[in-house]
Amino acid sequence: MTEDNDLIVTIDGPSGAGKSTVAKILARALKYAYLDTGAMYRGVAYAYMKEGEPADIGRFLKNLVIDFTFGTDTKVFLDGEDISGYIRDPEVSLWASSFSQNRVVREYLTGKQRDIGRKGGIVLEGRDTGSIVFPDAEIKFYIDANPEERAKRRHLELSSKGMDAERATVEKEMAARDKNDSERAIAPLVIPKDAIRVDTTGIDAQQVVDIMVRRISERSR
Ligand code: DC
């Protein structure tokens, strides 16, 4: 384990690769804060829906009173109210996905992510944390798993939340989202330069974290 307590660690990868689970355990192991950047996109999307989907996004963002707390979990506050319980709704997911292609929204959230992370001692997780937000981060991970396993995990996650979906449908939607994320013009999902790649197929979250901790110790020597 590193003694250094100010590293910036980024974890990117497609959905279902296990980023959130792994990032939380890794942050705990390193005694670092944890930031879920997807929750930030979701929070802005929720606010946008609540505002009645205003046409002028620039003005909407200017007037937005949104705060994020991070540490063991990422919480989102809108006008002081904790909205973290609402941001996983399917409708919010759709808007978040659409917003993630909007340059103004990306610049707004990238700025906030840099403000939060620049002091270090943090694990950031998302789609562009190592490529765009902190391209000079000391440790960048890119994690992935084969599409069947990712769909299986996503399916399990949805069932555990009481949302029933056909496994084949989950797999199809995931493939469409992957294509969207990787082919979008702004901040597409890419393997960041110098990233350490970890294939999580067939191994559990703790095993992934063990690999990561080992790789961090090697790089920090
Ligand atoms: O990881 P998630 O499903 O909670 O992310 C929500 C949406 O935000 C998803 O459509 C991808 C997008 N996103 C992004 O474009 N860049 C990030 N750094 C994090 C999330």
Side-chain angles (χ1 to χ4, degrees), residues 54-75:
D56 188 340
I57 302 240
R59 183 186 297 173
F60 155 72
L61 291 175
K62 214 169 139 199
N63 294 329
L64 190 60
V65 182
I66 197 160
D67 291 296
F68 306 97
T69 60
F70 54 98
T72 49
D73 222 339
T74 303
K75 286 195 180 296

Side-chain angles (χ1 to χ4, degrees), residues 12 15 19-20 36-39 41-42 88 93 96-98 100-101 106 113 125-129 133 177 181 184 187:
D12 294 299
S15 56
K19 292 188 303 283
S20 297
D36 169 3
T37 60
Y41 283 90
R42 289 171 178 277
R88 310 276 157 198
S93 302
S97 170
S98 160
S100 66
Q101 317 210 18
R106 288 211 83 88
Q113 289 155 14
E125 167 251 309
R127 303 291 193 292
D128 67 340
T129 61
V133 185
R177 203 137 33 96
D181 282 350
R184 70 184 182 209

